[in-house]
Amino acid sequence: MLYLVGMGLGDEKDITLRGLEIVRKCERVYLEAYTSLLSFGLSNNALSTLEDLYGRPVILADREMVEQGMEQILEEACTSDVAFLVVGDPFGATTHSDLVVRARKMGVEVKVVHNASVMNAVGVCGLQLYRFGETISIPFFTETWRPDSFYDKIKANRQLGLHTLCLLDIRVKEPSIESLCRGKKDYEPPKFMTINTAIEQLLEIEETHAESAYNEDTSCVGLVRLGSEMQKIVSGSMKELLTMDFGPPLHCLVIVGKTHPLEEEVLEFYAMSKACINAENCRN
Amino acid sequence: MLYLVGMGLGDEKDITLRGLEIVRKCERVYLEAYTSLLSFGLSNNALSTLEDLYGRPVILADREMVEQGMEQILEEACTSDVAFLVVGDPFGATTHSDLVVRARKMGVEVKVVHNASVMNAVGVCGLQLYRFGETISIPFFTETWRPDSFYDKIKANRQLGLHTLCLLDIRVKEPSIESLCRGKKDYEPPKFMTINTAIEQLLEIEETHAESAYNEDTSCVGLVRLGSEMQKIVSGSMKELLTMDFGPPLHCLVIVGKTHPLEEEVLEFYAMSKACINAENCRN
């Protein structure tokens, strides 16, 4: 049996009782390190905190293992109970549908333990979840690669008055270009996109397209470290948020669509001007 | 302090460790009964199971209490720690933003413990969450009231190739019309919409509008009892799903937009024809 267990957003205490029960009875426990590196700040210390709580050794499954080596995990799951822990929900921003399909082709039964993910926890900012349109991902621009397929999606959402959740790039265990040339694997340090970089890139693309999907006065909400004790929510125009230091990862951004009065009241509560006066109030 | 604690989707074991810790230290613990009545099947037995696990008495906050009487809970939270338990996530399909705003106006600090809700757990059906458009709600039609504002939303989603999550009506503690006339409160028995009724209503509205937003051959996914041991996922055309008995609540429906190959592969796995041969496989 393969158990896909969501760990939620904050730390090791965000696992559910059901999830913990499963982890404790599994013969092998893997933790997807790809996103957890950043969101759980998985130093060796944090890993042993996890292991202490779970009472099981936890094997880090890094990005390469997940992309290439899941065969091993799937084979183990044919004959024993294996838990694969995922930050957030197993079907959140990063999907594990391919894993489910491959498992089932091998005759491995799969059970899922759901948990919170950015896709639903973003509702904490006071915007109604059912008024969100398509979610977009904003990748890091490079000198030569400045993809802008998100622009039309934001535009379509805004034309319908819908909010847009922007997931910001995370780069973990990316082989450096030099190392690829040398044929030896060397990794770049982990890198996460800030709300500031996201807004800069968004405004650059608006300038190129000039179709008025949004502008620097467009209302947005910045959410950082969602679901953790260090969570912060700040609303303001793109121009305003651009000047703010949001601190450590992870960051995400919502481009606000048409709002109704209750939504406006909550956004007002998180307004940047107030946030600076009383930072405590920004935390939930 | 007011704690809004998400309980997840299945049963009492879907609370997180963080949530349980909070509940155990709170002086008063309320449970929102509006949706929990159906999804947790809250008989007296189930309530005492909850209380045993939490080690605290749990007070049922029914719909009237939530809509009118939250003052009492808020006042208690001014001077003591109060937990308000919500099925799913506190900012899931039913939003509690108004409660947060009112609490903060009274100077009550609010902390949120997130959990899975239908808004993210629906990803288990294999459709990518970020490819969902606006979420719609389908209310029970009556003889004289057949609202159809969801039609244009589905149409807009489908024109963009996006999937549509349809939340189906739940009617709990609705005063009966006769009792309103008599001036004495009598409640109708709880009532939840089945996938079958939802599809009938959808097809009726398509017939009226005739703008080809969808038709009986449109691909859909029915999800019932999401996140519980009795979960079932079945994909098929509207026409096909119409003939299926999905059993007890809660039901929800996804109208499928444009799919990519991996999504198709998962939908194929949940196809109705297969589901009937091997019902076990439909459970996650």
Side-chain angles (χ1 to χ4, degrees), chain A residues 3 6 20 26-27 49 79 138 161 182 187 195 197 213 225 235 247:
Chain A
Y3 292 95
L20 184 61
C26 276
E27 275 147 273
T49 309
T79 53
I138 304 183
R182 282 201 312 274
Y187 299 102
I195 288 170
T197 302
R225 301 173 294 280
S235 75

Side-chain angles (χ1 to χ4, degrees), chain B residues 22 43 61 78 83 110-111 135 140 184 204 246 251 263 273:
Chain B
I22 287 169
S43 59
C78 284
V110 180
K111 282 200 193 244
T135 300
F140 275 114
K184 176 181 161 280
E204 177 188 319
F246 289 91
H251 293 190
E263 289 179 316
S273 43

Side-chain angles (χ1 to χ4, degrees), chain B residues 1-2 74-75 77-78 100 102-110:
Chain B
M1 175 86 82
L2 176 65
L74 289 173
E75 270 163 33
C78 284
V100 175
R102 283 165 60 206
R104 280 164 173 165
K105 280 186 181 162
M106 290 172 69
V108 174
E109 213 185 322
V110 180

Side-chain angles (χ1 to χ4, degrees), chain A residues 225 228-234 244 269-284, chain B residues 1 104 108-111:
Chain A
R225 301 173 294 280
S228 84
E229 287 291 322
M230 302 292 288
Q231 173 176 300
K232 202 165 177 179
I233 301 170
V234 184
M244 175 131 186
F269 179 82
Y270 289 121
M272 195 172 144
S273 45
K274 290 191 182 176
C276 299
I277 299 166
N278 187 355
E280 277 314 300
N281 273 346
C282 294
R283 292 178 196 163
N284 277 55
Chain B
M1 175 86 82
R104 280 164 173 165
V108 174
E109 213 185 322
V110 180
K111 282 200 193 244

Side-chain angles (χ1 to χ4, degrees), chain A residues 11 105 131 134 265, chain B residues 11 18 105 131 134 265:
Chain A
D11 61 29
K105 279 186 182 164
R131 294 285 302 153
E134 185 169 4
E265 204 171 4
Chain B
D11 60 29
R18 181 185 310 282
K105 280 186 181 162
R131 295 285 301 153
E134 186 169 4
E265 204 171 2

Side-chain angles (χ1 to χ4, degrees), chain A residues 57-235:
Chain A
V58 173
I59 307 156
L60 276 187
D62 68 14
R63 189 175 159 184
E64 280 170 24
M65 188 167 178
V66 173
E67 284 177 0
Q68 299 159 23
M70 288 298 286
E71 300 307 329
Q72 186 199 326
I73 296 177
L74 289 173
E75 270 164 32
E76 288 168 8
C78 283
T79 53
S80 62
D81 286 340
V82 176
F84 188 68
L85 301 172
V86 175
V87 171
D89 183 76
F91 299 92
T94 309
T95 178
H96 289 85
S97 299
D98 51 339
L99 185 58
V100 174
V101 169
R102 283 165 61 207
R104 280 165 174 167
K105 279 186 182 164
M106 290 172 69
V108 175
E109 213 185 322
V110 180
K111 283 202 191 240
V112 175
V113 180
H114 289 290
N115 209 320
S117 65
V118 59
M119 305 296 281
N120 72 336
V122 67
V124 73
C125 76
L127 296 170
Q128 308 274 355
L129 272 189
Y130 59 82
R131 294 285 302 153
F132 279 72
E134 185 169 4
T135 299
I136 63 153
S137 294
I138 304 183
F140 275 115
F141 284 179
T142 67
E143 283 299 308
T144 51
W145 193 65
R146 304 176 101 70
D148 57 6
S149 60
F150 54 75
Y151 185 81
D152 288 340
K153 295 175 183 173
I154 300 172
K155 196 178 154 197
N157 284 345
R158 287 180 60 78
Q159 279 170 347
L160 294 167
L162 303 176
H163 314 309
T164 307
L165 170 60
C166 309
L167 302 175
L168 310 187
D169 205 356
I170 302 172
R171 296 179 76 80
V172 178
K173 251 201 160 172
E174 295 285 334
S176 66
I177 293 174
E178 301 79 39
S179 85
L180 285 178
C181 296
R182 282 201 312 274
K184 177 180 161 281
K185 282 216 172 153
D186 251 349
Y187 299 102
E188 291 183 356
K191 200 174 148 195
F192 69 94
M193 187 182 285
T194 62
I195 288 170
N196 316 72
T197 302
I199 293 177
E200 277 165 20
Q201 293 191 181
L202 282 165
L203 291 174
E204 177 189 317
I205 295 297
E206 175 57 61
E207 209 166 310
T208 326
H209 284 248
E211 295 171 34
S212 302
Y214 50 84
N215 60 48
E216 60 174 22
D217 295 317
T218 299
S219 174
C220 289
V221 185
L223 299 103
V224 294
R225 301 173 294 280
L226 192 61
S228 84
E229 287 291 322
M230 302 292 288
Q231 173 176 300
K232 202 165 177 179
I233 301 170
V234 184
S235 75

Side-chain angles (χ1 to χ4, degrees), chain B residues 176-184:
Chain B
S176 67
I177 294 175
E178 301 79 42
S179 86
L180 285 177
C181 297
R182 283 200 312 271
K184 176 181 161 280

